[in-house]
Amino acid sequence: MIAFLLAALVVLACRAPARSGRPAATPTPAWTAAPGPSMPAAVANNAVAAITVDGHEWLFSFMGIGAGKDFRSITRRAYALDVKGGRWEPLPDVPGPVGRIAATAQTLGDRVYLFGGYSVAEDGKETTSQAVDIYDVRDKGYSRGADIPVPVDDSVSGVWRDRLIFLVGGWSVSNNVAAVQIYDPASDRWMAGSPILGAPVFGHAGGIARDVIVYCGGAREQAPQLPKYVVNPECYRGDINPADPAKVIWRRIANHPGPSRYRAAAGPVEAGGVVGVMFVGGTSNPYNYNGTGYDQRPSEPEATTWIYDLERDAWVEGPRLGSPSMDHRGLVGAQGAWWTIGGFGAGQAVSAAVTRLSPPG
């Protein structure tokens, strides 16, 4: 009888379904992290983008906050890196009376689209922007797109099929929002997508790989308890309906291993046999803009990176950062690698560092 019961348990274990989004058992040591060309000035919470025009690859940084970490340090400055030449050059300032932080950027064709962000006044008042600023790489000038229907900062963005740009959640004026907003650059029009499934968050990270949105972390409200905002541990996957991209089927996936993250760098990757979304750095202690947490403790960056593999519905470990960083607005790809640009380093120091993450081969 005992032998029979043991055999039955083995059979049942073999038939048990795999847990969705399970962590990978082993790391992928072939990924490496190395420094890239430092920026002309230290900046964090800057919108970043990558583009290839006429076979020439560029990385971009727009706006953000400088070393002073106060309202005076928020800038409209922009820079471009000639990836092959390894040289940064200044661009025209982003339009507007003041600089912004927590904006997000994406590219289509030969244009960079900048969405939202927020400004900080001398009295500490914060204003969420609904601006869509469009930078033309060839003309080196800006134009204005249709305003974001629900103004957002600290949102996740991604490009779907070189056609539409999604904004997922974020902060709007006075609270977190669950809105998914979809911009069509061809028509300069917006449409509403299926709202996110989990708690509304800001400062989360994610991206779009093929027809899938993935986002993790961020800060959620827990008022009336203190601190008012705490890190959100959850990760979600949204499958976009190709016949009607405004329809997104959301489901929760397993949390990535290790601490939950706020203001990590993230973006789509296809390398090393993996198609998915990579999450780099960030912190487990949410903060506003100066690196001090809502719990009044200094926030410190994480060194680990994780990739959500779409096909296996599993987490794969990426390279460990030699110099951990946080306060990012995206992870961008160029020269077959993925890059972080600026951010906060240890001790909440605003950084000019650029890190290149290279896959196997």
Side-chain angles (χ1 to χ4, degrees):
M1 178 62 71
I2 293 175
F4 173 79
L5 289 173
L6 289 173
L9 289 171
V10 169
V11 170
L12 288 172
C14 291
R15 291 180 179 176
R19 185 163 63 97
S20 174
R22 59 194 181 283
T26 55
T28 54
W31 279 84
T32 57
S38 294
M39 296 184 64
V43 67
N45 215 341
N46 45 323
V48 297
I51 201 167
T52 301
V53 176
D54 298 330
H56 204 92
E57 293 181 287
W58 297 90
L59 300 182
F60 297 94
S61 171
F62 298 92
M63 302 183 291
I65 191 167
K69 295 186 293 186
D70 60 10
F71 77 94
R72 299 178 186 87
S73 305
I74 298 174
T75 181
R76 297 190 295 123
R77 291 179 183 170
Y79 302 94
L81 172 67
D82 174 350
V83 180
K84 184 177 180 180
R87 297 183 302 275
W88 286 93
E89 63 181 53
L91 301 178
D93 288 352
V94 176
V98 293
R100 307 197 301 270
I101 52 179
T104 187
Q106 293 295 336
T107 60
L108 275 174
D110 53 9
R111 294 181 173 184
V112 184
Y113 296 82
L114 305 172
F115 299 94
Y118 69 97
S119 59
V120 182
E122 185 173 359
D123 63 3
K125 181 182 179 181
E126 300 174 5
T127 302
T128 303
S129 173
Q130 61 183 166
V132 177
D133 294 299
I134 306 169
Y135 178 72
D136 190 305
V137 177
R138 296 183 188 277
D139 295 343
K140 295 189 176 182
Y142 296 91
S143 58
R144 185 71 181 257
D147 287 349
I148 308 169
V150 179
V152 285
D153 57 68
D154 266 315
S155 181
V156 162
S157 67
V159 174
W160 178 74
R161 294 195 177 189
D162 294 324
R163 178 183 151 198
L164 301 174
I165 301 174
F166 282 65
L167 298 183
V168 180
W171 179 271
S172 182
V173 184
S174 60
N175 57 279
N176 303 338
V177 293
V180 172
Q181 304 180 83
I182 306 169
Y183 179 66
D184 183 351
S187 64
D188 191 32
R189 298 180 66 179
W190 289 89
M191 68 181 99
S194 304
I196 61 175
L197 183 63
V201 288
F202 67 94
H204 47 318
I208 297 178
R210 298 193 179 173
D211 293 332
V212 178
I213 308 169
V214 180
Y215 76 88
C216 290
R220 61 177 175 83
E221 185 174 351
Q222 69 162 3
Q225 294 175 268
L226 294 177
K228 186 176 181 179
Y229 303 104
V230 294
V231 69
N232 175 53
E234 299 173 354
C235 294
Y236 289 89
R237 168 178 176 153
D239 288 80
I240 301 168
N241 182 349
D244 184 357
K247 293 183 179 179
V248 181
I249 305 301
W250 293 101
R251 65 179 172 92
R252 186 174 175 183
I253 58 176
N255 303 346
H256 60 68
S260 302
R261 307 297 173 87
Y262 172 80
R263 286 187 179 164
V269 298
E270 289 197 31
V274 174
V275 177
V277 177
M278 176 183 274
F279 295 78
V280 177
T283 182
S284 59
N285 187 33
Y287 55 90
N288 190 350
Y289 57 83
N290 63 5
T292 299
Y294 292 104
D295 61 0
Q296 303 307 309
R297 294 185 301 110
S299 301
E300 291 294 338
E302 298 288 339
T304 52
T305 67
W306 294 95
I307 307 169
Y308 174 73
D309 186 326
L310 300 185
E311 298 299 322
R312 291 190 289 166
D313 195 18
W315 289 99
V316 178
E317 188 173 354
R320 187 175 182 85
L321 301 176
S323 298
S325 61
M326 62 187 189
D327 214 49
H328 293 295
R329 300 300 316 140
L331 181 71
V332 293
Q335 281 193 339
W338 282 263
W339 308 68
T340 64
I341 303 171
F344 284 167
Q348 307 84 49
V350 181
S351 175
V354 174
T355 299
R356 174 180 177 140
L357 305 172
S358 300

